[in-house]
Amino acid sequence: YLKSHPANEGWKIFVFTHAPPNGSGLRVLQEIHVVNGCCWLNHSNEQRCRKFIELVREHRSIKGWFSGHFHLGQDYQDSITFPTIPREEGPYPNRGSCVFAQTSVMRAGTSRDGRQQSRLLRGNSKGFEICTVDHAKGGTIRLDATITYRDDSHELGVYAHPDESLEHDNYFKVRMPQEDDDGYMCGPEDETECVLSDDPVDEQDNYWWRLSCGRVLGLTNGMLLEYDSSTLAPLGLVVSADELVGKRIAVIDSGIEECEINFDADGAMEEDPDCDMEGFDEREQAVIMYDENYEVTVIQPNEDGSYWRKIVRNKIARMKERRREKAALEFAAKGLEEDKSNVKEKVQSSWGPYTTTSGIAKSTVVPGTEKAPKPTAFVSR
């Protein structure tokens, strides 16, 4: 559809989805959506999550994208984000030619910040206007932003009023890094280990860094988060504040020393005959957390290379899990000839997480449950 409706033919496309795409730059909730990894469309799948912003970047006929996932009001300026210009001309990330807008809720019982608002989109010969309909104030209409088309592939947005955030609204905001901002600490270009701070982490720290593999990690509100390597949007929680505050973070090299890349006097790479240079993409690093006594915790990445913890499963997967548990409960109740409410404690689930670096499986016991006693004798039948 997008290919057959290009910007250079005058097409203007507006998209409406429940959740916004990764890279939209809209305000997100740290305590709910970031921690649980459910901020963006297809958040649980890295490639599928990023495809929407890539479509926006490629197809400049997409002019507006509206979403309502966060249940937040429309008084914050970051409830609307404007397109960014090319990297060589100014701030990044690139949002194509699209304006992203957060849409609030009409009913007080579903609002997270007390606002009761919806959006009104008004088109004109030069572009369009985004307005707020305030249902708590009798349906009054307020102009929020004016967007003017400069040509088929570019538009200019102007906010119509200052940010109206309240004092407590910082609770709702998660800091998003920006390329070349003051919070950038270190990256693949740094050859030595990176101790991110001489002082223990506190909730006021805001800095971020890139690993040699391209992954982006950062500290905000006392939490260690992972950010998308392209859009710098928050992906999810790596270490919570209750575990991290008061400790320090460092990035150290962890690869085999003999496989480090060296260069000769002419700048040519010297290959080590004992190393597989074809499979060498970047130097291996370890992210560690430690206290004043050097009690060290290695923050291991997931098997796919990401760091953010998938604390909450995909909603469809959880529905299936509950159905399996219900079936197991009915099975146990039938076998014991008892009511299901009396056998709940006999049914539990096992997900089999990896808990050790050992390559030998030793136990599949669910943590918190008792092991069956060892038999005193074996009988063959």
Side-chain angles (χ1 to χ4, degrees):
Y1 182 86
L2 293 173
K3 290 181 179 179
S4 62
H5 296 78
N8 59 12
E9 293 183 4
W11 290 100
K12 308 290 189 292
I13 297 173
F14 291 82
V15 182
F16 302 86
T17 57
H18 175 74
N22 171 348
S24 63
L26 297 175
R27 176 177 296 219
V28 297
L29 286 166
Q30 68 181 45
E31 299 294 340
I32 300 174
H33 298 113
V34 174
V35 169
N36 291 315
C38 58
C39 298
W40 320 115
L41 289 168
N42 290 349
H43 194 146
S44 60
N45 184 296
E46 185 171 349
Q47 291 184 340
R48 292 179 180 177
C49 181
R50 195 180 296 168
K51 74 175 183 179
F52 298 103
I53 196 66
E54 291 174 350
L55 288 173
V56 168
R57 292 170 174 175
E58 180 181 357
H59 301 281
R60 303 186 77 90
S61 56
I62 303 176
K63 298 301 182 184
W65 196 308
F66 294 78
S67 59
H69 178 50
F70 300 136
H71 289 225
L72 291 175
Q74 301 165 186
D75 297 338
Y76 322 100
Q77 278 198 349
D78 54 0
S79 70
I80 297 177
T81 56
F82 296 137
T84 46
I85 56 182
R87 182 191 289 268
E88 62 273 12
E89 296 182 18
Y92 198 75
N94 175 14
R95 301 189 191 106
S97 185
C98 182
V99 174
F100 292 93
Q102 159 71 26
T103 302
S104 184
V105 294
M106 298 173 65
R107 189 170 66 85
T110 57
S111 174
R112 288 197 168 98
D113 57 6
R115 275 87 164 179
Q116 295 174 249
Q117 300 165 326
S118 56
R119 292 288 188 191
L120 174 64
L121 181 63
R122 297 192 297 208
N124 55 54
S125 60
K126 297 181 179 180
F128 59 94
E129 296 175 338
I130 299 176
C131 305
T132 284
V133 179
D134 197 326
H135 302 282
K137 297 180 180 179
T140 58
I141 296 176
R142 178 191 68 199
L143 177 64
D144 291 332
T146 300
I147 292 84
T148 304
Y149 300 132
R150 293 191 291 175
D151 54 42
D152 289 335
S153 298
H154 300 85
E155 50 195 355
L156 177 66
V158 178
Y159 292 111
H161 62 83
D163 192 294
E164 296 184 14
S165 300
L166 303 176
E167 289 184 4
H168 70 275
D169 286 340
N170 283 332
Y171 166 81
F172 294 111
K173 192 169 185 177
V174 174
R175 179 185 180 276
M176 297 187 193
Q178 297 291 329
E179 292 286 354
D180 302 321
D181 67 14
D182 293 337
Y184 183 72
M185 296 296 293
C186 56
E189 68 277 5
D190 295 290
E191 297 182 0
T192 59
E193 67 182 35
C194 177
V195 178
L196 298 173
S197 176
D198 293 330
D199 300 316
V201 172
D202 62 37
E203 294 185 355
Q204 280 68 52
D205 287 333
N206 283 294
Y207 45 85
W208 63 284
W209 63 97
R210 287 186 186 273
L211 299 174
S212 63
C213 61
R215 298 283 174 177
V216 177
L217 301 178
L219 287 170
T220 185
N221 301 328
M223 302 180 296
L224 179 62
L225 303 181
E226 181 173 3
Y227 296 87
D228 184 88
S229 59
S230 173
T231 66
L232 298 181
L235 293 178
L237 178 70
V238 181
V239 181
S240 60
D242 59 349
E243 185 180 2
L244 180 56
V245 169
K247 298 179 182 177
R248 294 172 173 83
I249 293 281
V251 180
I252 58 177
D253 284 343
S254 61
I256 302 173
E257 186 176 351
E258 288 78 6
C259 287
E260 291 182 352
I261 297 177
N262 297 310
F263 296 88
D264 60 22
D266 297 325
M269 186 173 70
E270 296 179 341
E271 293 190 11
D272 191 322
D274 296 328
C275 295
D276 176 18
M277 298 305 291
E278 290 185 2
F280 188 88
D281 295 320
E282 68 278 325
R283 75 180 193 268
E284 191 175 294
Q285 294 177 308
V287 181
I288 61 172
M289 174 176 65
Y290 62 100
D291 61 17
E292 58 184 5
N293 297 318
Y294 279 80
E295 294 285 339
V296 179
T297 299
V298 180
I299 302 170
Q300 300 282 10
N302 304 313
E303 286 193 346
D304 63 0
S306 66
Y307 278 82
W308 68 278
R309 306 317 190 195
K310 282 70 172 178
I311 300 172
V312 177
R313 282 174 174 76
N314 176 279
K315 187 175 291 186
I316 294 178
R318 285 185 281 125
M319 289 172 57
K320 292 180 179 178
E321 288 170 358
R322 285 195 292 269
R323 288 200 294 267
R324 296 185 191 108
E325 289 178 344
K326 182 180 178 181
L329 191 64
E330 292 174 349
F331 174 82
K334 182 179 179 180
L336 293 172
E337 297 182 349
E338 291 190 28
D339 187 84
K340 287 188 290 185
S341 60
N342 297 328
V343 297
K344 279 187 175 182
E345 69 278 0
K346 295 182 179 294
V347 176
Q348 56 193 358
S349 292
S350 171
W351 288 274
Y354 302 111
T355 58
T356 176
T357 57
S358 171
I360 301 174
K362 298 179 179 179
S363 176
T364 58
V365 173
V366 177
T369 62
E370 296 182 0
K371 293 184 179 180
K374 291 183 178 180
T376 55
F378 293 92
V379 178
S380 298
R381 295 189 181 184

